[in-house]
Structures are given as structure tokens and as C-alpha cells.
């Protein structure tokens, strides 16, 4: 992706680009920053410039829900709020829920829409948002169209094996295959939206059909059926016949607590609706081959 000559060889006769390539994960430490910026930001810039050279005006971009940072919450006193990073003192004593930024009270998670303010919390998230911004600049300059798909937690067959950069579904699946118990951090009550890779593929195909000249449109790509990380660990372990998950109380400072999306806009504008339910998808994933 960073090789302009290679792109010049690939792009003639191409009508649209579906850009999935990226360095993923949360960013293991600051030594990773140059590589994240180079692969995800510089790589996308090189691609956009090459698309302009070849007169390609349609881009579907794999973005991520991590651009939102912590999810949206409701406070009894202050209505909808967006809490900042959780205090380490709370995490250390096993209190994992975010607090209302105004009164410090406990809050309840609510579904986040695409118009929520963006708040990337780690190197990967920052570079995904930079990709969206660069693509938006490109669209305005060239009259091209960009559809950014903000993937929630994608899982499914041929997912890469456990690495320090893997998401939780791949980590649990790899642990079970090795006969180890999935290690569930915090109290296991953190919510995510696990969306199956075949549904994500369909969203990409649908995204090729929409897009408005000169603009970037962003959509949550989610199942609309959030589950806790603890439930996901249980589902996979049960399907494989154990070992049972262990809830460790560990925490990572870069993690957000809950991120629950509204799939409404993708349904309305892309006609996208996830079809693979959690139980069915996890049953398949529990024994499907890893990449
Ligand atoms: C993940 C991906 C991110 C992607 C996003 C949306 C990683 C590291 N994160 O973010 O790249 O853009 O989904 O698709 O690839 N956890 C455990 N045990 C473990 C590991 C993690 O309980 O062994 C917990 C974490 O504490 C966290 C949750 O699982 O609460 C999700 O972690 P993870 O999948 O790493 O990150 P996401 O924020 O969901």
C-alpha cells in the first residue's frame, strides 16, 4: 500500500477500491507509533494519491468503532454524556464502570450513532480516524465518494491466530484451541457488538452501491445485538467443551468499557442488516479454522 509504483501497476482498469489493509490492534507500546502512522496513515495517503492519478472516484474504507473512544452513556441527572478515560484508582479497586463527567455518578450504556463526537484513545484508533479525515479531504478535492464502515468487533472463520495485536475473539478462540481457559479481563461485564465477517463482507458490497460525490459517509457496521465479553467467552468455551473461562479482574488502561452501536443508519442507507445471530456465529467460530 505504501508502494506507489506497485499501485500504479494494480490500479489501471479498476472502478472502485475497497481498502481493508491496516496495522491493527490497540498499539502495544509507544515504540509502535511510527509503524501505525506509516502503515495506516501514510499508506492510505499513498493510495488516495494513486486513485486520483488513475481517475478512480469510489472508495470503501474499513474504519472502526474505536474512533468513538468510550461509548455513549445516560446519567440520571445529566442525560446523555460521554465519559473520559476511567480513573486507574477505580480500576485498581475493581470498579470498572465509567462515571458521569459532571457529577461522578454511575452511568448506563446507550447506543452510539455516527454523529457522536469522535475521541480516539490509542494509536490504532487515531490512525483509523486520520484515514477517515484524509479520505474526506480526497473526496472534496477530487469529487470522489468515500463510504467509511466503522466495524464493531469482527469475528469469524480464518481469523488470525493470537498475537499481541489480536482482538478478544481471536485470543479466546486460540486459547481454547490450545486447551487453555479464556482469560476474561475486568469483571467480564464489558459490552461489545460482535459482528460476523460474512455480514461485514455484505456491508462492503452494499457500500459500493452508495456514496455521494465529494463526501465521506460513515456507518456503524454492527449486529445490533451487543453481548458482554464474559458471554462471548462462555459461548465459545461451551461450544468447544471447555476449559471454562476465568475472570481475572485484570485491566488495560487503553480499554473502553462498553461500546454499543446503533445499526440504524447502515440499515436505512446501505440496506445492511447483519443476518448471523450471536449464538449461531459463535457456534461456527468455535470450531472453524483460524488463519
Ligand atoms: C477491537 C480491536 C480493534 C478493532 C475493534 C473493532 C484489537 C486489539 N482491538 O477493539 O482493533 O478496531 O475491535 O473491530 O484488535 N479482553 C479480555 N481478555 C483478553 C483480551 C481482551 O477480556 O485476553 C477484553 C478487553 O479488556 C476489552 C475487550 O476484551 O474489554 C475487547 O478487547 P479487544 O478486542 O482487544 O479491543 P476492542 O476495544 O474491542
Amino acid at each position: 500500500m505504501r508502494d506507489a509504483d506497485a499501485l500504479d501497476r494494480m490500479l489501471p482498469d479498476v472502478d472502485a477500491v475497497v481498502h481493508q489493509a491496516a496495522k491493527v490492534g490497540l498499539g502495544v507500546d509507544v515504540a509502535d507509533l511510527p509503524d501505525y502512522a506509516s502503515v495506516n496513515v501514510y499508506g492510505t495517503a499513498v493510495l488516495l494519491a494513486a486513485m486520483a492519478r488513475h481517475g478512480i472516484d469510489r472508495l470503501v474504507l474499513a474504519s472502526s468503532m474505536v474512533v468513538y473512544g468510550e461509548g455513549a452513556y445516560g446519567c440520571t441527572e445529566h442525560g446523555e454524556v460521554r465519559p473520559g478515560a476511567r480513573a486507574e484508582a477505580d480500576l485498581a479497586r475493581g470498579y470498572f464502570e465509567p462515571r458521569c463527567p459532571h457529577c461522578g455518578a454511575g452511568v448506563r450504556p446507550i447506543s452510539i450513532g455516527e454523529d457522536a463526537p469522535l475521541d480516539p484513545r490509542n494509536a490504532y484508533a487515531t490512525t483509523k480516524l486520520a484515514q477517515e479525515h484524509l479520505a474526506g479531504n480526497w473526496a472534496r478535492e477530487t469529487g470522489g465518494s468515500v463510504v467509511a464502515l466503522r466495524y464493531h468487533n469482527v469475528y469469524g472463520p480464518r481469523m488470525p491466530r493470537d498475537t499481541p495485536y489480536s482482538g478478544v475473539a481471536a485470543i479466546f478462540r486460540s486459547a481454547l484451541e490450545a486447551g487453555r481457559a479464556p482469560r476474561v479481563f475486568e469483571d467480564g461485564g464489558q459490552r461489545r457488538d460482535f459482528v460476523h465477517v460474512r455480514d461485514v463482507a455484505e456491508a462492503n458490497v452494499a457500500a459500493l452501491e452508495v456514496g455521494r460525490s465529494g463526501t465521506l459517509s460513515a456507518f456503524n457496521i454492527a449486529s445490533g445485538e451487543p453481548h458482554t465479553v464474559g458471554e462471548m467467552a462462555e459461548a465459545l468455551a461451551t461450544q468447544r467443551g471447555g476449559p471454562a473461562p476465568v475472570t481475572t479482574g485484570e485491566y488495560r488502561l487503553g480499554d473502553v468499557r462498553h461500546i454499543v452501536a446503533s445499526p440504524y443508519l447502515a440499515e436505512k442507507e446501505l440496506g445492511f442488516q447483519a443476518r448471523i445471530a450471536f449464538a449461531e456465529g459463535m457456534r461456527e467460530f468455535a470450531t472453524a479454522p483460524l488463519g
Side-chain angles (χ1 to χ4, degrees):
M1 194 62 72
R2 287 170 290 179
D3 182 344
D5 293 337
L7 286 167
D8 281 337
R9 288 192 296 275
M10 278 188 269
L11 291 181
D13 306 320
V14 166
D15 297 322
V17 171
V18 180
H19 177 22
Q20 310 283 334
K23 180 178 168 79
V24 299
L26 290 184
V28 172
D29 70 41
V30 288
D32 286 329
L33 286 176
D35 212 32
Y36 274 101
S38 175
V39 174
N40 295 354
V41 184
Y42 177 69
T44 298
V46 172
L47 171 67
L48 293 168
M51 288 175 68
R53 276 197 302 284
H54 291 270
I56 302 168
D57 63 1
R58 263 186 306 156
L59 174 68
V60 176
L61 175 69
S63 184
S64 169
M65 57 71 167
V66 291
V67 298
Y68 297 119
E70 188 61 75
Y73 292 82
C75 168
T76 329
E77 181 78 22
H78 296 98
E80 183 169 342
V81 292
R82 297 290 303 282
R86 293 174 292 171
E88 187 163 14
D90 276 347
L91 300 172
R93 66 182 179 85
Y95 183 83
F96 299 115
E97 297 297 332
R99 294 177 183 277
C100 172
H102 307 295
C103 64
V107 287
R108 60 180 196 290
I110 54 180
S111 182
I112 201 158
E114 288 80 353
D115 55 355
L118 304 176
D119 180 18
R121 298 273 177 97
N122 55 56
Y124 172 70
T126 300
T127 60
K128 277 284 149 186
L129 183 54
Q131 288 186 338
E132 285 196 14
H133 285 157
L134 284 175
N137 301 152
W138 168 89
R140 276 193 300 282
E141 296 277 334
T142 64
S145 76
V146 187
V147 178
L149 301 179
R150 292 182 181 157
Y151 297 166
H152 285 251
N153 293 61
V154 184
Y155 73 98
R158 305 207 351 246
M159 210 170 179
R161 268 163 216 285
D162 189 359
T163 74
Y165 301 91
S166 299
V168 67
I171 292 176
F172 287 175
R173 175 64 182 73
S174 301
L176 287 164
E177 186 165 297
R180 285 183 278 111
R183 294 176 62 80
V184 179
F185 298 162
E186 305 186 9
D187 57 0
Q190 57 275 47
R191 288 191 186 80
R192 293 292 188 278
D193 188 311
F194 297 96
V195 57
H196 195 279
V197 67
R198 282 198 297 278
D199 282 325
V200 173
E202 287 195 6
N204 275 271
V205 173
L208 281 167
E209 303 301 326
V210 299
R212 279 190 290 276
S213 180
T215 62
L216 176 140
S217 336
F219 299 99
N220 285 323
I221 299 301
S223 72
E225 190 198 346
H227 283 272
T228 67
V229 168
E231 286 165 356
M232 195 270 288
E234 277 299 333
L236 283 181
T238 305
Q239 289 299 332
R240 277 195 79 97
V246 176
T247 302
T248 67
E250 286 163 82
Y251 56 87
R252 304 183 302 193
L253 288 177
D255 273 332
V256 298
R257 176 66 173 169
H258 306 292
I259 173 119
V260 177
S262 165
Y264 167 78
L265 198 64
E267 188 177 342
K268 181 167 158 258
E269 300 212 0
L270 301 181
F272 168 73
Q273 213 178 1
R275 290 195 291 193
I276 303 176
F278 178 80
E280 177 193 348
M282 289 297 165
R283 193 178 318 121
E284 178 203 49
F285 182 51
T287 52
L290 296 179

